[in-house]
Amino acid sequence: MTGKSRDEDAADRTAEIEAIYLLPQLAGTGVGRALMERSLAELSAQGFDEVMLWVFEENPRARAFYQSQGFVLDGGRKTRDWGGKALACVRYRRRLA
């Protein structure tokens, strides 16, 4: 899911990738990369200048994937409730072409 960023500190032309989830057996098959490429192309076509996303801090596989796609940490941090457990999240951001 994508759309305009929900963060209060985001510029008007900042988009957000709200969720990309894959079945574990699809990891490493290129499906995630294809979803990301399509999402970034659509957001760029919609006139957004940059895109951000939140990821659980303790999810090294997802963080490595986003970094491989050109996303960088921007210092944003928050806590999310996930199944009754408070988990730390960090924010990544990248410019769109």
Side-chain angles (χ1 to χ4, degrees):
M1 289 181 24
T2 63
K4 185 175 181 340
S5 175
R6 299 170 290 170
D7 289 1
E8 291 180 11
D9 64 344
D12 285 338
R13 293 172 53 160
T14 300
E16 179 177 358
I17 295 176
E18 296 177 31
I20 292 181
Y21 294 104
L22 297 177
L23 295 171
Q25 62 267 31
L26 295 176
T29 65
V31 172
R33 187 174 315 278
L35 286 170
M36 180 62 74
E37 288 172 4
R38 178 66 182 250
S39 296
L40 297 176
E42 287 183 12
L43 291 170
S44 184
Q46 292 172 26
F48 290 104
D49 294 327
E50 66 179 350
V51 60
M52 47 79 55
L53 56 83
W54 290 93
V55 64
F56 292 121
E57 187 171 35
E58 297 299 322
N59 187 343
R61 186 177 190 134
R63 293 181 67 175
F65 172 74
Y66 295 132
Q67 290 170 14
S68 78
Q69 299 299 301
F71 285 85
V72 296
L73 285 169
D74 75 356
R77 296 183 58 83
K78 67 181 177 181
T79 303
R80 276 196 169 152
D81 178 57
W82 190 263
K85 186 175 181 181
L87 298 175
C89 296
V90 292
R91 187 170 62 189
Y92 282 83
R93 184 180 302 259
R94 70 165 270 183
R95 300 286 303 161
L96 292 168

